[in-house]
Each structure stands twice: as structure tokens, then as C-alpha cells.
Amino acid sequence: MPRALVRSRLAACAVPCAVLLVSAFAAAPAAAQSVYAGVGTTGLSLGFGHTYSAQLGARAEVSLVPTLSRSFAQDGIDYSGEVKSTRFAALFDWHPLSGGFRLTAGLSGGKTSGEFAGAPSTGTTITIGTSTVSVGPADRYDSKIEFPSAMPYLGLGWGHTPEKGWGMHADAGLLIGTPKVTGSLSPSLSAKIALTGRDPQAELERELQTVRDTTGKVVGLPVLSVGVSYRW
């Protein structure tokens, strides 16, 4: 494609974009700052916001899920473990109608994971991959599910407008990313699988793959939250 044509097309795209940006920044006479707190699926959140106009704003936010203990049984294995999350996010808001409704995009970084220690019921059998062995008190099958450290965010919401004073906000969106699944076998359980003539690590990978087939369909972490803010 000729360079002159490329330049002309870029110029044609740049003009309307510039008009939109200028109109957005001109929509409000002054900037405003805010602090806010909320609660939702990503835990407790605290943040700081800066509104550039009635249409554009930016926020920095930290969210925390305190360590939650959970126990459950599945396929003859008693699991106990912890779920925890600490995330930081840089978010950009666009209020297309210069009102409360907004579209939000950004990037979240941090750690969201669940770690579970599995103890098979003594005197029963367990199947790992294609190997079925009897188990005792020393046998363990542990697993970990962890979301990516960096996750893009897309969502919509209400609030974080330039009006001074107290306000409320609500968000619904998605942190985009597929979780990673890892696991390990205790030495005693590995030894029992080896006695069947199979490779314990290969059997573990087969077992984990059945979980990954399910988690592979997960496209991210849903975000639902409500909170209050103060703007000055």
C-alpha cells in the first residue's frame, strides 16, 4: 500500500479520535479526586480515583480476599485448604452519556489461588490417572489452582462521577484469564503407583489433565461489587 495512502487513512482516523478526546475533556470544567471502598467477589477493596471530565476518569485499586479455609470430599479424598487473593488494578472509566453509567477497562496484577491438601480415606482405594492403589495415612494428593498474575479487566458500572461529596458505585465485569492447575503426590503414594509398573509423574499428569479440561473452559474471574466513595 502506498505510504501516502497510509498517511491519509491514519489522518482520517486521527481527526475523529481527537475530536472525541477534546469533547470528553471539555465536558467538565474541573478535575476531582476521590477515595472509595467496596466489597464483592474480589473481596474488600480500597481505591483512589481521579476524574478528568464528565466522561473520563482513572482509578487505582487494591482488593483483598482474607485467607478462607475450606474442606470438602471428592472421589474418596478429603481435601482441606485455603483460598486467598491480593490484587492491584489500574482502571480507566468512560462515561459515554456524561452520567453515572460507565464502561471500565484496565489491568489487574497480583495473586489469586487455592491450595488444597488431599488425604485419601484410609483403607480405601484411589485412582490416579489409570492406576488404582490402596491408600494409607501417609498417602497424599495435593493440588493448586492459580489464576495468572496479570489479568485484563473489562466491565461496566455505575458511579465515580465528578459530583463532589458522598456517592455510591457498583461494578460488574470480568478479570480475563484461565487458571493453572498443578499437583503433587506424596512419596508413599508415588511408590505404590510405581509398583503397578506405571510412571507416577505421568499418572499424576493424566489426573491433573482431567481437572484442566474443566478449568480450561473458565475464561476469567467474575467481578461483582458495590461500595461508597467520597469526592472532593
Side-chain angles (χ1 to χ4, degrees), residues 153-173:
Y153 174 79
L154 292 175
L156 51 83
W158 185 271
H160 294 300
T161 57
E163 285 78 9
K164 305 297 177 65
W166 291 97
M168 297 189 66
H169 61 270
D171 284 272

Side-chain angles (χ1 to χ4, degrees), residues 27-228:
Q33 293 77 41
S34 68
V35 291
Y36 62 92
V39 61
T41 55
T42 55
L44 305 175
S45 61
L46 293 173
F48 174 82
H50 184 87
T51 300
Y52 299 98
S53 73
Q55 289 186 312
L56 296 178
R59 293 180 286 125
E61 180 178 298
V62 58
S63 58
L64 170 68
V65 175
T67 301
L68 301 177
S69 299
R70 186 186 175 192
S71 299
F72 61 96
Q74 182 176 342
D75 298 331
I77 303 177
D78 296 321
Y79 290 96
S80 61
E82 298 178 340
V83 177
K84 52 189 175 181
S85 176
T86 302
R87 305 201 69 86
F88 304 88
L91 304 168
F92 298 92
D93 298 324
W94 177 44
H95 301 255
L97 304 177
S98 300
F101 173 75
R102 59 182 160 77
L103 301 176
T104 301
L107 182 65
S108 172
K111 184 175 182 180
T112 301
S113 64
E115 299 184 37
F116 300 95
S121 301
T122 302
T124 63
T125 60
I126 183 176
T127 299
I128 301 294
T130 58
S131 300
T132 300
V133 296
S134 59
V135 293
D139 298 324
R140 300 183 67 83
Y141 167 46
D142 300 337
S143 60
K144 179 179 181 180
I145 299 177
E146 185 172 11
F147 280 87
S149 297
M151 301 177 71
Y153 174 79
L154 292 175
L156 51 83
W158 185 271
H160 294 300
T161 57
E163 285 78 9
K164 305 297 177 65
W166 291 97
M168 297 189 66
H169 61 270
D171 284 272
L174 185 70
L175 286 167
I176 303 171
T178 299
K180 177 183 179 182
V181 179
T182 57
S184 62
L185 302 174
S186 65
S188 60
L189 187 54
S190 294
K192 290 179 179 179
I193 293 175
L195 289 176
T196 68
R198 297 183 176 90
D199 180 8
Q201 189 61 36
E203 293 295 87
L204 173 62
E205 285 301 313
R206 289 191 184 96
E207 186 67 24
L208 292 174
Q209 189 58 48
T210 62
V211 181
R212 291 168 183 153
D213 290 341
T214 300
T215 59
K217 300 175 184 177
V218 176
V219 296
L221 280 171
V223 175
L224 294 172
S225 67
V226 294
V228 295

